[in-house]
Each structure stands twice: as C-alpha cells, then as structure tokens.
Amino acid sequence: MTTLHHYDLWGWYSPVEIPSRSTDVDPGNVPAERVFGQPWPNFTGEAWVLQPYSEPPAQPEPPKAPRLVTVGAFFDRFGSLKWEILADQSPLVQAVIRDAQVRKHIDLDNPDLPGGLAILQSAGHQIDAEALIDAPVQPHEVP
C-alpha cells in the first residue's frame, strides 16, 4: 500500500490530508512541529527539501460580487413611497429618476448612489437610504 504525504499550496509538508496535494515521495524524518525559521520539509515537485519554515503569505480577499439590482427592483425597495417619488415633479427628483431609468441595472455599491438618495430625502421623501443600499440582494432583484 502506498503512503501519501501531503503539502500545502506553498509546498510545505502537511501532517493532515490535503486533497489533490499529495505525493508518494517520502519526506524522511519530519520534525515534531513547524517552527518559524527552523528546517521543515518543502516539496519541490520532485523531492522534499528541508528549508527554513516561513508562514505562507495571507490569501487576498476574493473580490466582492457586484450587488446589482434591476431598475424596477430598485424602485420597489422604496415600498409605498415609490409612487410618491415617481410622481414628484421637482427637477432634482426627476433628474434622479431619469438617471436610474437610463441604466441597465442599479449598482448598490456605486459611490454616487447615496448622493442621489440624499436628493430624494432633501425633497421631503422619508426614505431610509442606508436600508435601501444595505439590504441583501434578493434573487428576484438580480438582472
């Protein structure tokens, strides 16, 4: 029976199983524990080499998924205030409405969005801008 020896993304020996990261090449005498700066087996793809152990670099955060909603879903987020806002004929409110209507979708992370919502608030519409932006995107809202 073949004994498999495991290694992480950086080649460092791992005493725990890592799927798809194993070899039947024996690392030899493995120290009892990893110690920064002390020899630790590192797999080169062909052989194990004792190297001073160093912590692997931190994994970067994966990019955030865009938070996009359809234009209709965006206006639905205003609830019963939607009709009041759409009927408002003041020039600034109409500018906000037209700006939203010419888009394929509304990006809830767009840095200009809070400013547009502030225009609606300054026109007297009692909206909760933070709740509109921060509410999780629902499956029926996705473009």
Side-chain angles (χ1 to χ4, degrees):
M1 181 169 161
T2 302
T3 301
L4 294 179
H5 306 280
H6 301 278
Y7 53 92
D8 64 18
L9 289 172
W10 296 270
W12 295 113
Y13 173 79
S14 173
V16 297
E17 180 179 340
I18 300 176
S20 304
R21 296 216 162 266
S22 62
T23 179
D24 58 358
V25 177
D26 189 338
N29 190 11
V30 177
E33 62 183 80
R34 287 186 241 208
V35 177
F36 183 80
Q38 296 297 312
W40 189 255
N42 190 275
F43 191 62
T44 66
E46 297 176 3
W48 291 96
V49 176
L50 284 178
Q51 295 182 349
Y53 179 73
S54 61
E55 288 291 326
Q59 291 283 44
E61 294 260 344
K64 283 178 35 178
R67 295 184 335 110
L68 308 177
V69 296
T70 64
V71 174
F74 175 70
F75 281 108
D76 288 344
R77 285 179 169 231
F78 292 103
S80 61
L81 295 175
K82 169 176 74 172
W83 304 114
E84 177 186 314
I85 293 167
L86 291 173
D88 188 324
Q89 293 302 307
S90 65
L92 284 175
V93 171
Q94 282 300 304
V96 171
I97 292 169
R98 280 193 303 276
D99 181 61
Q101 290 175 331
V102 298
R103 298 177 184 279
K104 291 182 180 180
H105 55 263
I106 303 296
D107 180 354
L108 297 174
D109 293 323
N110 183 328
D112 294 333
L113 184 56
L117 295 175
I119 290 171
L120 298 180
Q121 289 171 321
S122 68
H125 299 288
Q126 301 297 313
I127 61 170
D128 184 347
E130 205 170 283
L132 287 166
I133 293 172
D134 294 340
V137 175
Q138 301 300 313
H140 67 277
E141 295 181 309
V142 177

